[in-house]
Amino acid sequence: MFGLVDCNNFYVSCERVFQPRLEGRPVVVLSNNDGCLISRSSEAKALGLQMGDPYFQVKPLLLQHDVAVFSSNYALYGDMSRRVMWYLGQVVPEVEIYSIDEAFLDLQGLERFVVDSLESFARTIRANVLARTGIPTCVGVAPTKTLAKLANRLAKKNPDMGGVCYLDTDERQRWALAQVAVEDVWGIGRQYAQKLYAAGITTAAGLAGCSEAFARQHLGGVVGARLVRELQGYPCLGLAPSEDGTLARRSLCCSRTFGKPLSAFPDVLGAVSAFASRAAEKLRRQGDAAHTMTVFLSKSRFGTEPPPYSCSTLFTLPVATNDTVELVRYARAALKKLWQPGMRYTKAGVILDGLEPAGQTQLTLFEAAPVSEKRLRLMAELDALNRRFGQGTVQLAATALAPGQHVAPWAGQAQWRTPQYTTRLEDFLLVG
């Protein structure tokens, strides 16, 4: 059996933990640069607010209904997620952290150790997560990961279930499959949904009744066949095989929309250098090195600049590396190739691909080692200092602010960002 724990309206729930007065009031959280809605409370959803709605378009509605608006606070959300996932890892044999607010649980063999049933165990998990972190969750339990995902969806949509949906019998599974539209099945995208509707398949139950030949032909070969088998109750997918339940990324991207259009090369260089530095940190954290780098720039489609509105260039590095200095150097060279004087840029980003284990990189004919021992120690010390004293404490000069600057020119807007209550000493709540 598998379980799926999903935090309800996660970003909103994180804000409510430290501001209980928001309970019962509609709340939304905005994306980077305060662009669009990325998290909504149940009360906000009832007003008709949709995921991805641009803030400027729905602002009158937000004001009309006194909706609380917050800028993204990813430091807070990441730490709250870590607390939830840590607890889950203590009560089940294995956890797959699927996203910042979702985790699959391995419940195989736990039936003989729980007091009542897996359903009561799931309710205990839900209650303990709420008590320990203040984050409400829903839990789906089923024989396969796909059915557990479906069960979790039903637990969210049906308040009378008490936040837990347990699909332990064929009868319950058939009922659950009949309740879910085919486009809401995990792994079915818009294009597949259109094909299935054209074939007269509108529900998960109809998809579960498909033949393997049909699934292979219309749903991507063996992937589609596995999906159908999972809906039929036969497990084909296991948890992610890694120590902490997460999978190493196959590519890394760090990009941001600027708070204002930038036309000065040093300002955009600072942004690209900061993105390359951040991507290098993530590379070292998962023990990989990158062999290719893509740098892109974007202009506003609604401005006065002529198309194309986006341009990019790809570098193949001579030797795969995770060295911040080297990656920033290549990012600077890429930016020089893309730069057009007089243009106003609104976004930039760095993408690292061709990842391979650090220390096992393919050398060139004249390379004795991929990187010197001195540079390895330098990167290790850089990471250690930034972990101890905060991200960005030690950085390259290319990413540093100019004298007199207090905010980076590329920094996004965050008018309503709350304090980092759990990760920044100055922001800790004081109880009098």
Side-chain angles (χ1 to χ4, degrees):
M1 298 292 281
F2 294 91
L4 177 66
V5 178
D6 188 5
C7 301
N8 299 342
N9 311 320
F10 181 57
Y11 295 168
V12 167
S13 295
C14 290
E15 300 291 352
R16 281 178 164 173
V17 168
F18 300 95
Q19 302 185 66
R21 65 180 183 275
L22 296 174
E23 289 293 338
R25 180 181 173 187
V27 182
V28 298
V29 175
L30 304 180
S31 63
N32 276 325
N33 213 29
D34 293 345
C36 60
L37 276 57
I38 58 172
S39 184
R40 304 154 294 150
S41 68
S42 300
E43 298 83 1
K45 294 175 182 177
L47 296 175
L49 295 167
Q50 301 296 318
M51 184 72 76
D53 279 348
Y55 171 69
F56 76 92
Q57 288 185 358
V58 298
K59 184 177 179 180
L61 183 62
L62 299 176
L63 293 174
Q64 178 186 349
H65 294 280
D66 190 30
V67 178
V69 178
F70 293 96
S71 302
S72 299
N73 187 346
Y74 294 115
L76 174 64
Y77 307 153
D79 188 64
M80 295 299 289
S81 172
R82 180 189 61 79
R83 294 168 185 239
V84 172
M85 303 306 173
W86 180 88
Y87 167 73
L88 296 177
Q90 305 307 301
V91 296
V92 296
E94 191 175 358
V95 176
E96 175 190 338
I97 302 175
Y98 183 65
S99 67
I100 192 171
D101 62 344
E102 286 183 271
F104 284 103
L105 312 180
D106 180 8
L107 305 179
Q108 188 67 33
L110 285 183
E111 295 91 338
R112 50 192 144 160
F113 299 108
V114 298
V115 175
D116 189 3
S117 66
L118 287 181
E119 182 175 7
S120 65
F121 181 61
R123 295 191 186 280
T124 300
I125 289 177
R126 183 172 183 268
N128 286 343
V129 169
L130 182 63
R132 290 167 175 264
T133 66
I135 302 296
T137 60
C138 284
V139 185
V141 179
T144 72
K145 290 176 71 174
T146 304
L147 282 175
K149 187 86 170 175
L150 186 144
N152 187 281
R153 180 179 183 85
L154 290 173
K156 280 191 171 184
K157 296 293 184 182
N158 297 276
D160 57 322
M161 288 186 171
V164 174
C165 181
Y166 183 37
L167 304 181
D168 60 328
T169 65
D170 292 341
E171 183 181 357
R172 289 186 178 183
Q173 291 170 28
R174 286 194 296 270
W175 170 84
L177 290 168
Q179 307 305 307
V180 178
V182 70
E183 64 268 23
D184 294 328
V185 174
W186 186 40
I188 297 296
R190 182 180 304 172
Q191 292 184 345
Y192 281 152
Q194 291 175 350
K195 289 183 179 180
L196 292 171
Y197 269 91
I201 300 171
T202 60
T203 66
L207 182 57
C210 290
S211 66
E212 182 176 337
F214 178 91
R216 285 179 176 272
Q217 181 178 356
H218 298 284
L219 299 176
V222 68
V223 175
R226 287 175 180 168
L227 172 59
V228 171
R229 294 288 285 173
E230 285 256 321
L231 288 176
Q232 294 170 347
Y234 300 100
C236 301
L237 304 172
L239 298 193
S242 56
E243 292 182 1
D244 62 352
T246 60
L247 285 173
R249 297 178 176 90
R250 297 180 180 179
S251 66
L252 288 167
C253 176
C254 188
S255 65
R256 292 289 186 275
T257 299
F258 307 142
K260 59 182 179 180
L262 300 178
S263 56
F265 182 81
D267 292 343
V268 179
L269 173 61
V272 171
S273 299
F275 302 156
S277 298
R278 181 65 179 142
E281 291 177 10
K282 294 180 179 180
L283 264 184
R284 292 194 293 273
R285 189 181 305 156
Q286 69 178 43
D288 283 339
H291 207 278
T292 63
M293 168 189 284
T294 301
V295 175
F296 67 86
L297 293 175
S298 298
K299 299 177 288 188
S300 173
R301 295 179 178 272
F302 308 101
T304 58
E305 283 77 10
Y309 299 109
S310 184
C311 56
S312 64
T313 185
L314 183 145
F315 270 64
T316 299
L317 311 184
V319 177
T321 182
N322 57 22
D323 187 299
T324 297
V325 177
E326 287 296 304
L327 291 174
V328 168
R329 181 166 66 87
Y330 284 111
R332 182 189 183 102
L335 181 61
K336 286 183 176 180
K337 289 183 63 176
L338 297 174
W339 186 256
Q340 299 179 43
M343 295 291 103
R344 289 159 51 88
Y345 295 100
T346 58
K347 185 177 182 179
V350 173
I351 304 171
L352 301 179
D353 285 302
L355 306 190
E356 53 189 74
Q360 302 179 29
T361 54
Q362 177 67 47
L363 304 180
T364 64
L365 181 61
F366 303 103
E367 290 281 350
V371 63
S372 68
E373 288 295 326
K374 183 182 292 186
R375 188 61 68 83
L376 286 173
R377 291 198 301 272
L378 175 62
M379 291 298 106
E381 290 297 328
L382 175 67
D383 292 339
L385 288 169
N386 286 329
R387 279 195 304 269
R388 181 177 179 183
F389 297 105
Q391 185 179 326
T393 301
V394 182
Q395 54 189 323
L396 300 189
T399 66
L401 300 181
Q405 285 184 335
H406 300 289
V407 180
W410 63 87
Q413 299 178 25
Q415 300 181 54
W416 306 284
R417 180 175 293 160
T418 50
Q420 299 173 20
Y421 299 106
T422 63
T423 56
R424 190 169 182 265
L425 187 60
E426 296 85 348
D427 291 341
F428 281 10
L429 288 174
L430 300 178
V431 179

